[in-house]
Amino acid sequence: MMENIFKIDTEITGYVNSLEKEVDNISFEEVCEFKLNKDHIEEIPWGTLNYPGVYLLEIKNDNIFNDFTSWVSNFKSQWEDEKYVKNFTPNLKLKRIKKHSQLEDWIPIYIGKSKRIEGRIHEHIFKELHKTTFALKLNARDNLVNSRFRLSTIKLDLTNYGALMPIIESKLRNKINPLIGKQ
């Protein structure tokens, strides 16, 4: 009986390795850019994102800083402002920040997965700060109002979503190194 389990484990390892290689060949498709404001976000094509997959949120470099170190120091002070910490929001990840050295036009801040991307993006933008749902809660952050963001997705309607998506999300996270995350 135990031999069968070890055999299955070996087979799954092979499939996981194959899956990880395939993830190297997929890429995010840009959906939209949007600007945070207190009322609503017009640029997001609500109603078209009702599909499962992985999403990437990036923030626009405002060209105030000349190098990534200065930019991320400023972003860190905004993200970790005492008004916003410990409110069921993800933290900055130092090990991922260290993977970036150049200041790009768009900086990856978060990668996530969802069976319904639209609902999850709505939470990341509009969820109130005091709510216990874990999310970015971008619109609740006064210090990010008028910041520009870009949303990109990979549509993946998988039968084995629960088994495959954590592997795919992790591989993409390790490839792109978003600055913020729960993991």
Side-chain angles (χ1 to χ4, degrees), residues 55 110 112-114 116-125 133-136:
Y55 56 88
Y110 194 82
K113 64 183 181 326
S114 179
R116 195 175 142 263
I117 288 176
E118 181 172 273
R120 190 65 180 127
I121 293 301
H122 194 273
E123 289 177 334
H124 281 306
I125 295 171
T133 300
F134 197 86
L136 296 172

Side-chain angles (χ1 to χ4, degrees), residues 61-128:
N61 168 12
D62 51 18
N63 294 315
I64 294 174
F65 299 97
N66 294 326
D67 59 84
F68 181 76
T69 303
S70 301
W71 182 92
V72 81
S73 176
N74 180 68
F75 183 76
K76 183 178 191 283
S77 69
Q78 289 178 315
W79 193 261
E80 295 178 342
D81 184 300
E82 66 183 36
K83 186 175 174 181
Y84 307 113
V85 294
K86 297 184 180 177
N87 278 297
F88 300 94
T89 59
N91 299 317
L92 288 164
K93 297 297 180 186
L94 186 58
K95 70 178 183 175
R96 288 200 226 126
I97 290 171
K98 289 180 179 180
K99 301 280 184 179
H100 297 273
S101 58
Q102 290 190 323
L103 185 58
E104 304 289 342
D105 285 339
W106 290 97
I107 296 115
I109 61 167
Y110 194 82
I111 287 179
K113 64 183 181 326
S114 179
K115 288 187 176 181
R116 195 175 142 263
I117 288 176
E118 181 172 273
R120 190 65 180 127
I121 293 301
H122 194 273
E123 289 177 334
H124 281 306
I125 295 171
F126 294 110
K127 188 60 74 176
E128 295 171 2

